Amino acid sequence: MDPYALPALASAPAPSGLDAFIDDNFAGIADRIESVVFYEVSLGDVTFPVVVAWLLLAAVVFTLSFRFVNLRGFKHAIDLVRGKYTRPDEVGEVSHFQALATAVSGTVGLGNIAGVAVAITLGGPGATLWMIVAGLLAMSTKFTECTLGVKYRRVNPDGTVSGGPMFYLSRGLAERRMAGLGKVLAAVFAVFCILGSLGGGNAFQANQAFAQMRAVTGGEDGLLGGGAAGVLFGLLLAAVVGVVIIGGMWRIASVTDKLVPFMAVLYVTACVVVLLANASALPEAARLIVEGAFDTEAVAGGVVGVLIVGVQRAAFSNEAGLGSAPIAHSAVKTDRPVTEGYVALLEPFIDTVVICTMTALTIVVTGAYTQQGEEGVQLTSTAFETVLPWFDNVLALAVVLFAFSTQLAWSYYGAKATAYLSGESRVADTVYKVVFLAFVVIGAAASLGPIIAFSDSMIFAMSIPNLIGVYLLMGVVRRELREHEEGLRTGEVARVDA
Amino acid sequence: MAVVVGVDASEAGRRAVRFATRLRDVGDGRVVVAHVVPWSPFTVQSAEENERRSLTKAHEVEMAHRLVDPLVEQLRGEGVRAEAVVRHGHPAETLCALAREAGATHLVVGRTGESRVRSLLFGSTASNLIQIAEVPVTVVP
């Protein structure tokens, strides 16, 4: 079995009726796209997709190049978020905390619940360790790309702020006399971002939300068991998303964004409860995770196979290197772009090193992963039920909420990419949003195999133009970092509470 | 040595300003008329709210000036040395900071009569102020 080929994430029953029609017509296209994006190479007897190596390589390069900024910048990042360096003229504007919270609300989602379960199903407990390592390294990638996001953001004529890879690729590379390349990379990124926003940021979310809702309402024989239930659920979800993104009911978005951190804390607390109930099994779980990570006999294709599973799921969860986070971070009020880079490095830490690890420990410590036939959200749910029998309902609520907030975040990314490509055309904006809503329905209706293939492909494809640009602009980040560190040393950048 | 008076859109704010002008004799005669736009750096917002934040802030400041500027104009017409200040932040903490900056001897606020439930949940600006102020506080009913 290919270590990275993804089978159905959730045990979605074989679709029938209308669901089957969408499924049949979607699967072929998805397969073809996947084989291109996840082009695999062989090194010795291990086969792996180039794009995963590409992300890992970037994280390692940025970590070494910025001398472990992911670790040594941690305390400074916390101080920035706490507002210790917020100057009086920055009061009332978007704070570091707010930029981080918005970005985290977009990232914390199904990857943290379902994705981790997939990693452990495929790679065993050992995948957890590689996921954590990948998360720690990814902090450097986020630091680098989000610094650039703020550095090259654009203040529009109407006073709003736009940022992200589209802008640092086009404007940043133009500064370095690579205007042509920059334009091409920015356009390619924007296209992938739009397609990724429809897949991983949308269809995948709708799919898992439906799978979990169906599971808690009695499975195939329950309320949502019928052939067209996926379509109906999708239409309902699309209606709510539509009210927000087309109807402009941003209050709903605002309420959701406030609920997500609350749900995340509730989720982590539930993990802690399960871990405490299984406290005696923790040392054994830790042993399984560490030994599994270096198990040359692992089913997933030895150490490299397990590593790839962990790295891929970490990347899918924290989005470092894909270029989505710089869009969310760029509205912050600061005149030192690198400060937002520091703050952004907390994102993979919260997402992957804390939340994903909690999920993984819960699954491993309860032994849920050894049961056959459980995948995705259901596996995580089973792990919780060993201690908290009623938790699947809470989890269903969390899944729907996380899915919804991730969809809103990605619709924003996609809309920004559309605006960039179309020159802020209102017609294009509306067309994009209508297509986005159609994909909510497709996601809920189609079975997961083709959906995940398509969404993974597009999301990961974003990293190609993004990271090429980030590599070329590393010098800019290095200069910004050096100036900031110099400022901290001389006291030019001083704490406001000192 | 000034008097800082915190106002909002309520009638009590106007009464507070009137009272502050009586207090100014104890200081150097300056009256700082302040409005604080409630704001916290630790709220969660959507990406759209963030991208428009500078615009929203500018709008909030403009609206606040529409509130305090006429009051200041009126005081100046009466020969009072008055100035207008608009800030974002936690209302009570920001008023205290303003008092410190102005070297104020007094803080005056109006009592807006927030509901019991609201006061219980969030506390009122007046009661917060009394707990943290470094100068005497007068709450005008």
Side-chain angles (χ1 to χ4, degrees):
Chain A
M1 188 180 74
D2 285 343
Y4 52 87
L6 289 160
L9 255 189
S11 46
S16 56
L18 191 51
D19 292 10
F21 175 78
I22 292 177
D23 202 20
D24 289 345
N25 290 286
F26 191 64
I29 312 168
D31 278 354
R32 242 165 293 151
I33 294 173
E34 188 193 25
S35 65
V36 175
V37 176
F38 290 103
Y39 180 78
E40 17 180 297
V41 292
S42 293
L43 201 73
D45 53 355
V46 187
T47 314
F48 60 93
V50 186
V51 76
V52 173
W54 169 248
L55 284 170
L56 187 60
L57 177 72
V60 171
V61 167
F62 300 141
T63 300
L64 295 177
S65 177
F66 300 119
R67 293 168 290 122
F68 291 90
V69 71
N70 52 342
L71 306 179
R72 64 189 179 87
F74 195 81
K75 189 184 172 295
H76 188 48
I78 302 272
D79 284 342
L80 284 162
V81 170
R82 292 176 65 197
K84 301 286 184 199
Y85 292 88
T86 305
R87 293 196 320 246
D89 64 307
E90 292 164 355
V91 170
E93 302 276 355
V94 179
S95 67
H96 284 300
F97 176 89
Q98 285 164 341
L100 177 68
T102 304
V104 169
S105 284
T107 355
V108 172
L110 288 164
N112 302 72
I113 301 175
V116 174
V118 172
I120 294 175
T121 307
L122 293 177
T128 310
L129 185 74
W130 296 119
M131 216 168 55
I132 296 172
V133 171
L136 288 170
L137 292 169
M139 290 162 75
S140 306
T141 309
K142 276 250 166 123
F143 165 83
T144 316
E145 59 179 1
C146 290
T147 300
L148 290 171
V150 174
K151 171 87 181 169
Y152 293 104
R153 65 182 164 186
R154 188 183 73 189
V155 178
N156 302 314
D158 66 355
T160 57
V161 182
S162 297
M166 298 81 83
F167 297 95
Y168 59 71
L169 292 172
S170 58
R171 294 157 68 118
L173 291 178
E175 232 175 51
R176 310 216 116 195
R177 297 181 189 197
M178 290 180 277
L181 177 68
K183 274 213 177 78
V184 171
L185 290 177
V188 172
F189 173 84
V191 170
F192 288 157
C193 179
I194 291 169
L195 295 171
S197 74
L198 300 175
N202 181 5
F204 170 70
Q205 309 291 330
N207 189 286
Q208 289 286 282
F210 175 64
Q212 182 65 10
M213 285 307 278
R214 175 183 274 196
V216 295
T217 54
E220 232 171 312
D221 305 319
L223 190 63
L224 297 173
V231 175
L232 289 176
F233 180 86
L235 286 172
L236 187 70
L237 187 58
V240 184
V241 174
V243 165
V244 178
I245 65 173
I246 296 181
M249 286 286 289
W250 289 109
R251 285 192 69 85
I252 297 179
S254 187
V255 170
T256 309
D257 285 347
K258 285 171 180 62
L259 281 174
V260 165
F262 172 76
M263 286 307 276
V265 170
L266 185 71
Y267 180 79
V268 171
T269 310
C271 291
V272 172
V273 170
V274 174
L275 294 183
L276 288 178
N278 291 283
S280 58
L282 272 173
E284 172 65 9
R287 190 189 65 81
L288 281 170
I289 287 171
V290 175
E291 276 184 12
F294 299 101
D295 183 4
T296 48
E297 304 289 302
V299 279
V303 177
V304 178
V306 177
L307 185 147
I308 285 167
V309 167
V311 170
Q312 183 161 339
R313 287 297 113 192
F316 193 80
S317 176
N318 65 42
E319 298 175 12
L322 308 181
S324 51
I327 303 176
H329 278 278
S330 58
V332 72
K333 176 74 177 180
T334 180
D335 53 4
R336 286 183 180 267
V338 77
T339 56
E340 194 55 25
Y342 276 105
V343 169
L345 66 78
L346 295 175
E347 215 186 310
F349 184 82
I350 297 168
D351 179 276
T352 309
V353 181
V354 176
I355 302 182
C356 284
T357 305
M358 290 310 258
T359 305
L361 283 174
T362 303
I363 291 172
V364 175
V365 88
T366 55
Y369 71 101
T370 53
Q371 292 174 20
Q372 290 299 310
E374 298 258 320
E375 287 164 327
V377 183
Q378 265 83 63
L379 176 56
T380 314
S381 192
T382 304
F384 278 111
E385 277 164 36
T386 58
V387 178
L388 308 167
W390 42 268
F391 197 72
D392 60 341
N393 294 307
V394 180
L395 199 62
L397 189 68
V399 164
V400 173
L401 201 64
F402 285 166
F404 183 61
S405 72
T406 306
Q407 284 176 318
L408 292 185
W410 276 89
S411 76
Y412 179 77
Y413 302 152
K416 285 279 144 190
T418 306
Y420 176 79
L421 284 180
S422 68
E424 316 277 334
S425 150
R426 289 188 66 90
V427 177
D429 186 64
T430 307
V431 170
Y432 165 75
K433 284 170 177 169
V434 170
V435 173
F436 188 88
L437 295 180
F439 269 82
V440 176
V441 184
I442 293 179
S447 77
L448 209 75
I451 291 290
I452 190 84
F454 175 75
S455 61
D456 260 14
S457 307
M458 287 303 109
I459 295 255
F460 279 80
M462 286 163 65
S463 71
I464 300 165
N466 181 46
L467 287 178
I468 291 174
V470 175
Y471 279 128
L472 292 171
L473 293 167
M474 267 171 77
V476 176
V477 179
R478 189 172 295 118
R479 198 166 58 236
E480 293 282 335
L481 179 60
R482 197 188 305 127
E483 278 172 17
H484 184 71
E485 287 181 328
E486 190 63 30
L488 284 172
R489 236 190 330 273
T490 60
E492 191 200 327
V493 181
R495 288 171 67 121
V496 288
D497 61 343
Chain B
M1 290 306 190
V3 175
V4 170
V5 51
V7 298
D8 57 12
S10 73
E11 200 49 47
R14 289 174 192 283
R15 290 197 290 275
V17 173
R18 295 259 52 99
F19 187 82
T21 56
R22 283 197 255 153
L23 272 183
R24 73 184 197 280
D25 297 340
V26 296
D28 63 357
R30 273 189 304 138
V31 175
V32 178
V33 182
H35 178 74
V36 181
V37 182
W39 177 85
S40 161
F42 302 114
T43 54
V44 182
Q45 311 194 98
S46 67
E48 282 76 12
E49 287 174 295
N50 284 349
E51 86 168 37
R52 304 185 55 82
R53 184 60 213 165
S54 287
L55 289 175
T56 314
K57 183 195 173 186
H59 179 70
E60 287 166 354
V61 170
E62 195 197 315
M63 296 309 284
H65 270 294
R66 278 194 209 167
L67 192 70
V68 294
D69 288 356
L71 294 169
V72 168
E73 285 307 312
Q74 197 188 338
L75 291 182
R76 283 183 182 160
E78 295 166 14
V80 180
R81 284 169 57 205
E83 51 193 281
V85 178
V86 171
R87 287 267 176 96
H88 277 73
H90 181 273
E93 285 172 13
T94 310
L95 285 175
C96 286
L98 280 171
R100 226 176 358 254
E101 287 168 30
T105 51
H106 277 81
L107 263 164
V108 182
V109 289
R111 191 181 69 198
T112 50
E114 286 152 304
S115 75
R116 273 166 192 266
V117 178
R118 224 189 115 76
S119 305
L120 197 67
L121 285 174
F122 306 107
S124 74
T125 298
S127 53
N128 273 338
L129 203 54
I130 289 165
Q131 285 172 325
I132 61 173
E134 294 148 17
V135 292
V137 177
T138 305
V139 181
V140 179

